[in-house]
């Protein structure tokens, strides 16, 4: 991560300087073919005319963006008002992804701290344990989650058996289930960068703080957190961004009653709507939002590095 | 974005696959999930020496999108439902089967020859047909269920425990039957009423799920749910006390058809496979597996006798008519798409 490079200090002698072009070629090719080209294609598609039942007509059109931002009523001939439908869908996605990120942070930070403070020899084992559930396909993990949470599932059975509740709590098909599913899907992306940051943290700083009569809370707030901030931010981005575009958890755990951005876009390509330009436009808007977020992060990062000197 | 990437990668993979499949004696099938027993494919390979490759999809629309995104010319055969045959025909995605090319064409049951979605069976043969309606868990609700009120104006016991198919066509068609309005209405009052009905009913629905329509009934997550007839008999076999309804307002009839795709890389193999599926014994094996109905004469002796007696196959005397999903024109469809977005926003 950027943080690693920053703390790594001054420029390193490049042993493989002469081969640099060739070493980078696979990465460049992959990025061009699998990232830049599809994104560019989507950008163009978002400005084309929709073909009935999927496909595009090669004529310039702003209809997709118009549909996103303006509401012309059920029949399309009312005077244009601001369209809240898609803003609502985006807002819901941001909210769900945000909740999942906070949940991941609250549980991931202590976990990462715990791992980083184990003896050096046993740390790889703990990291390894974190990754084990992720050897299983995401779809299967999400479905299993549903089986665990359902009304007649083990979780509710357990809570009823120990007498904590009388009737099952409905978790499946709620927003909370979606947040839980997202949290579970992306937790390691929170734990690993924070672990990397905490592992590099010089614990004698905490001792020094204690010697100077700082409380444990103050040490955490003023010493540890600022030092590992880049890891925390990286973790938050790695959880938040994929959560926003996710459609497995909303469909399977949320009951697909309400579109999230991911399912809205999927519907445009695979569903009845068959509106490719609109799907492309929604993807573009989503991507712009993520880009703004990342640029904001990059600027903050640059600023703090400057401040540190 | 993730989707597009998936599609592009899939398209790439398919192109590679297609090149491999262009050799003699291959057949590339694009089919629904869980709809083709492996034994039937093995039997075809044993009889003809043709190797079958099968990819699957989970909705008519997903199949159409994939073909439109460039997979046409990769597959020989697909299995669209009735209305999707019309759409694919009008999009020019189907090849015409000349007279005499299919030796077993005479086996098609007479009532399924001159169908509205492919008059005279120019490009398709029947695969399976059945109905789409809903069923109710009788342990939860003992009252009258032969009405679409179960879904759109449900009794207290079922409120909040209903699963709908995640399919715009099926949901709006059934809602139109409930209101007694045409499926492709351009009457604004009717369309507003449809919009309002769905908005109001949504509060009583727990989820929209097609793939797991059977599982949610078996597990008890849903107490009522839209379902295909064959799925419901499987749910009963798995122990759910569910009763399939034939509402008096009517229900959805459907037929899946094997179509010969334009630019089929293995056209001869495809025709052989269509002939193979028109043999009563072979199509009956699929019917026994999927628990729907075949559209071929002479199947009855090969069918599992229990199948014909199933409640899902025998509408009661007061049942409404089974109606096919209709194909609307572009302007009308735009309103229905808007209604669906309103429903799921």
């Amino acid at each position: 991560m950027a943080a690693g490079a920053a703390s790594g200090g001054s420029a390193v002698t490049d042993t493989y300087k002469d081969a640099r072009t060739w070493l980078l070629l696979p990465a460049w090719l992959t990025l061009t073919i699998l990232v830049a080209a599809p994104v560019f294609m989507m950008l163009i598609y978002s400005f084309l005319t929709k073909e009935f039942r999927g496909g595009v007509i090669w004529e310039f059109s702003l209809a997709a963006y118009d549909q996103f931002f303006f509401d012309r009523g059920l029949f399309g001939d009312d005077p244009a008002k601001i369209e809240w439908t898609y803003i609502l869908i985006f807002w819901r996605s941001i909210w769900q992804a945000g909740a999942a990120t906070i949940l991941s942070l609250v549980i991931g930070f202590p976990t990462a701290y715990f791992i980083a403070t184990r003896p050096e020899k046993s740390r790889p084992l703990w990291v390894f344990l974190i990754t084990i559930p992720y050897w299983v396909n995401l779809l299967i993990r999400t479905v299993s989650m549903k089986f665990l949470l359902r009304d007649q599932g083990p979780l509710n059975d357990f809570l009823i058996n120990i007498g904590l509740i009388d009737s099952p709590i409905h978790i499946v098909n709620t927003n909370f289930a979606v947040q839980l599913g997202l949290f579970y899907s992306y937790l390691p992306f929170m734990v690993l960068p924070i672990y990397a940051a905490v592992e590099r943290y010089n614990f004698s700083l905490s001792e020094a703080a204690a010697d100077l009569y700082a409380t444990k809370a103050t040490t955490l707030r003023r010493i540890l957190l600022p030092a590992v901030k880049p890891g925390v931010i990286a973790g938050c981005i790695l959880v938040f961004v994929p959560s926003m575009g996710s459609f497995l958890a909303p469909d399977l755990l949320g009951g697909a009653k309400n579109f999230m951005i991911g399912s809205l876009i999927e519907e445009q390509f695979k569903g009845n709507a068959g509106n490719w330009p609109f799907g492309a436009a929604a993807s573009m808007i989503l991507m712009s939002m993520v880009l703004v977020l990342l640029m904001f992060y990059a600027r903050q990062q640059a600023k703090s590095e400057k401040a540190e000197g | 974005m993730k989707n597009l990437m998936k599609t592009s990668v899939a398209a790439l993979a398919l192109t590679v696959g297609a090149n491999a499949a262009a050799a003699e004696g291959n057949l590339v099938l694009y089919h629904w999930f869980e709809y083709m027993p492996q034994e039937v494919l093995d039997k075809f390979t044993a009889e003809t020496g043709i190797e079958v490759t099968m990819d699957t999809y989970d909705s008519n629309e997903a199949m159409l999108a994939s073909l439109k995104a460039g997979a046409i010319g990769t597959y020989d055969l697909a299995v669209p439902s009735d209305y999707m045959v019309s759409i694919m025909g009008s999009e020019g995605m189907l090849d015409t089967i000349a007279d005499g090319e299919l030796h077993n064409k005479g086996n098609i049951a007479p009532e399924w020859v001159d169908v509205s979605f492919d008059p005279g069976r120019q490009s398709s043969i029947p695969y399976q047909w059945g109905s789409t309606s809903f069923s109710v868990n009788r342990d939860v609700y003992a009252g009258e269920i032969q009405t679409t009120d179960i879904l759109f104006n449900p009794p207290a016991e079922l409120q909040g425990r209903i699963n709908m198919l995640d399919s715009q066509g099926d949901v709006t068609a059934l809602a139109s039957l409930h209101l007694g309005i045409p499926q492709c209405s351009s009457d604004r009052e009717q369309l507003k009423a449809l919009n309002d009905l769905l908005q109001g009913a949504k509060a009583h629905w727990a989820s929209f799920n097609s793939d797991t329509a059977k599982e949610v009934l078996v597990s008890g997550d849903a107490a009522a749910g839209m379902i295909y007839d064959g799925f419901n008999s499987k749910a009963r076999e798995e122990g759910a006390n569910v009763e399939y309804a034939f509402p008096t307002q009517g229900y959805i009839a459907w037929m899946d058809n094997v179509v010969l795709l334009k630019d089929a890389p293995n056209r001869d193999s495809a025709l052989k496979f269509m002939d193979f599926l028109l043999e009563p014994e072979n199509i009956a094996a699929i019917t026994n597996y999927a628990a729907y109905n075949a559209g071929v004469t002479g199947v009855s002796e090969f069918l599992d006798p229990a199948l014909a007696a199933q409640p899902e196959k025998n509408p009661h005397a007061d049942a409404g008519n089974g109606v096919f999903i209709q194909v609307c024109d572009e302007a009308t469809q735009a309103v229905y798409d808007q209604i669906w977005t309103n429903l799921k926003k």
Side-chain angles (χ1 to χ4, degrees):
Chain A
M1 295 260 82
S7 52
S10 59
V12 187
T13 320
D14 188 350
T15 317
Y16 305 102
K17 201 174 169 188
D18 300 338
R20 204 186 272 163
T21 319
W22 291 107
L23 288 172
L24 271 178
L25 195 65
W28 272 113
L29 277 179
T30 317
L31 286 174
T32 313
I33 297 172
L34 293 178
V35 180
V39 168
F40 187 65
M41 208 169 95
M42 277 294 109
L43 180 67
I44 295 183
Y45 269 35
S46 72
F47 288 106
L48 294 178
T49 307
K50 144 190 192 190
E51 190 185 335
F52 189 34
R53 304 192 190 290
V56 287
I57 300 165
W58 283 84
E59 275 169 32
F60 176 79
S61 164
L62 285 173
Y65 291 94
D66 182 278
Q67 182 182 342
F68 194 96
F69 293 109
F70 297 107
D71 176 14
R72 292 170 205 279
L74 192 53
F75 305 103
D77 51 8
D78 291 354
K81 286 180 296 186
I82 293 176
E83 174 68 275
W84 291 104
T85 306
Y86 304 113
I87 295 172
L88 184 80
I89 291 169
F90 270 60
W91 172 243
R92 179 185 302 129
S93 304
I94 292 170
W95 194 79
Q96 298 275 50
T101 309
I102 290 170
L103 209 59
S104 300
L105 182 61
V106 168
I107 293 176
F109 190 88
T111 312
Y113 186 86
F114 171 82
I115 298 175
T117 49
R118 289 314 92 194
E120 209 162 320
K121 260 168 98 183
S122 64
R123 280 179 216 159
L125 177 73
W126 289 103
V127 172
F128 175 75
L129 286 177
I130 290 272
T131 61
I132 283 183
Y134 298 87
W135 299 359
V136 178
N137 180 287
L138 177 63
L139 175 70
I140 298 186
R141 275 185 285 132
T142 311
V143 172
S144 336
M145 187 86 168
K146 188 173 173 177
F147 277 91
L148 281 176
L149 297 177
R150 71 182 1 155
D151 291 6
Q152 288 84 2
L155 178 70
N156 271 310
D157 280 356
F158 173 73
L159 292 177
I160 291 173
N161 278 334
I162 61 167
L164 209 62
I165 51 172
D166 297 326
S167 56
I169 327 171
H170 299 289
I171 304 174
V172 172
N173 298 332
T174 62
N175 284 340
F176 179 63
V178 177
Q179 290 154 18
L180 220 53
L182 291 173
F183 150 76
Y184 176 50
S185 304
Y186 301 114
L187 181 63
F189 297 122
M190 182 66 85
V191 174
L192 295 177
I194 298 181
Y195 159 70
V198 178
E199 201 192 20
R200 274 196 308 271
Y201 173 68
N202 185 351
F203 282 91
S204 47
L205 292 175
S206 293
E207 284 166 24
D211 289 347
L212 296 167
Y213 299 103
T215 61
K216 283 182 177 171
T218 313
T219 312
L220 173 72
R221 194 164 50 83
R222 309 245 338 236
I223 312 288
L224 178 63
L225 272 183
V228 302
K229 197 176 88 180
V232 172
I233 293 177
C236 289
I237 289 177
L238 287 177
V239 173
F240 184 76
V241 171
S243 293
M244 279 235 292
S246 159
F247 57 89
L248 263 182
D251 276 13
L252 285 168
L253 293 167
K257 274 182 80 176
N258 297 312
F259 279 136
M260 294 256 287
I261 304 177
S263 35
L264 174 74
I265 294 172
E266 186 191 19
E267 175 84 5
Q268 307 308 315
F269 291 96
K270 273 180 75 184
N272 227 319
N275 191 341
W276 292 12
F278 182 68
S283 306
M284 282 298 127
I285 294 165
L286 171 64
M287 223 173 75
S288 316
M289 281 171 45
V290 173
L291 265 182
V292 167
L293 189 85
L294 289 178
M295 275 159 68
F296 182 75
Y297 164 63
R299 282 188 61 149
Q300 288 295 103
Q301 191 72 27
K303 248 190 223 166
S304 65
E305 266 163 34
K306 223 181 232 172
E308 283 164 20
Chain B
M1 209 58 253
K2 217 159 95 191
N3 257 322
L4 173 84
M5 297 274 288
K6 260 180 12 193
T7 315
S8 328
V9 173
L12 198 70
L14 289 174
T15 326
V16 176
N19 289 335
E24 264 186 3
N26 281 310
L27 175 70
V28 193
L29 191 59
Y30 200 23
H31 203 353
W32 292 84
F33 65 100
E34 278 181 50
Y35 206 6
M36 173 65 87
Q38 187 59 42
E39 303 87 75
V40 174
L41 295 182
D42 291 345
K43 187 182 172 197
F44 177 70
T45 304
E47 279 182 15
T48 61
I50 295 170
E51 292 288 336
V52 184
T53 312
M54 183 166 76
D55 286 339
T56 59
Y57 51 85
D58 59 6
S59 76
N60 280 300
E61 287 71 25
M63 181 259 296
L64 179 74
S66 162
L67 291 179
K68 272 204 145 181
I72 197 114
T74 304
Y75 297 107
D76 300 301
L77 298 170
V79 191
S81 305
D82 36 271
Y83 71 97
M84 190 50 72
V85 177
S86 313
I87 291 173
M88 291 171 77
S90 66
E91 297 265 336
M93 293 175 147
L94 304 181
D95 196 359
T96 308
I97 305 166
D99 283 338
E101 278 194 300
L102 276 184
H103 308 295
N104 293 335
K105 198 173 176 183
N107 289 357
I108 299 176
E111 68 270 29
W112 293 115
V113 175
D114 231 2
V115 285
S116 60
F117 46 87
D118 184 16
R121 292 283 178 187
Q122 297 292 304
S123 314
S124 70
I125 60 164
Y127 187 70
Q128 297 288 309
W129 62 271
S131 64
T132 305
S133 172
F134 56 86
S135 63
V136 176
N137 187 328
R138 284 314 212 166
D139 296 336
V140 177
Y141 180 66
E144 172 62 39
I145 65 163
Q146 305 298 340
T147 164
T148 45
D149 277 332
I150 292 289
L151 297 178
F152 299 107
N153 186 18
E157 294 93 322
L158 297 177
Q159 288 179 6
R161 302 194 59 192
I162 298 172
N163 177 57
M164 300 296 283
L165 291 178
D166 197 3
S167 155
Q168 182 181 333
D170 289 316
V171 172
T172 53
L174 213 51
S176 300
L177 287 171
H178 178 76
L179 290 173
I181 60 173
Q183 280 185 44
C184 292
S185 175
S186 49
D187 180 306
R188 295 197 164 200
E189 292 312 310
Q190 289 179 350
L191 289 164
K192 274 183 196 152
L194 179 68
N195 190 44
D196 294 345
L197 174 75
L198 292 172
Q199 295 286 330
K202 184 186 178 183
H204 304 309
W205 299 339
S207 55
F208 287 90
N209 245 317
S210 299
D211 311 353
T212 57
K214 184 187 72 184
E215 280 77 9
V216 291
L217 287 170
V218 174
S219 70
D221 282 356
M226 281 181 79
I227 198 164
Y228 319 108
D229 55 344
F231 258 36
N232 194 67
S233 52
K234 287 186 178 180
R236 275 193 301 109
E237 281 165 18
E238 289 172 27
N241 182 18
V242 284
E243 184 177 341
Y244 190 72
F246 288 99
T248 51
Q249 293 92 336
Y251 55 92
I252 298 164
W254 53 263
M255 169 171 260
D256 292 332
N257 309 268
V258 182
V259 295
L260 181 61
L261 292 170
K262 195 185 75 171
D263 301 333
N266 313 287
R267 195 171 183 278
D268 290 341
S269 304
L271 290 170
K272 274 186 196 147
F273 192 66
M274 287 174 122
D275 265 334
F276 175 81
L277 289 179
L278 286 171
E279 297 280 359
E281 191 183 345
N282 300 331
I283 197 70
I286 295 170
T287 304
N288 286 335
Y289 168 80
Y292 295 116
N293 306 278
V296 168
T297 46
V299 284
S300 46
E301 58 176 303
F302 300 103
L303 289 179
D304 177 357
L307 213 55
Q310 286 185 343
E312 291 84 5
K313 301 273 175 290
N314 296 289
H316 54 90
D318 296 328
N321 291 322
V323 296
F324 282 108
I325 289 181
Q326 284 171 18
V327 179
C328 310
D329 63 57
E330 186 167 1
T332 313
Q333 187 62 42
V335 181
Y336 282 89
D337 290 346
Q338 185 64 49
I339 290 174
W340 185 252
T341 306
N342 286 348
L343 177 63
K344 295 194 73 177
K345 76 180 174 197

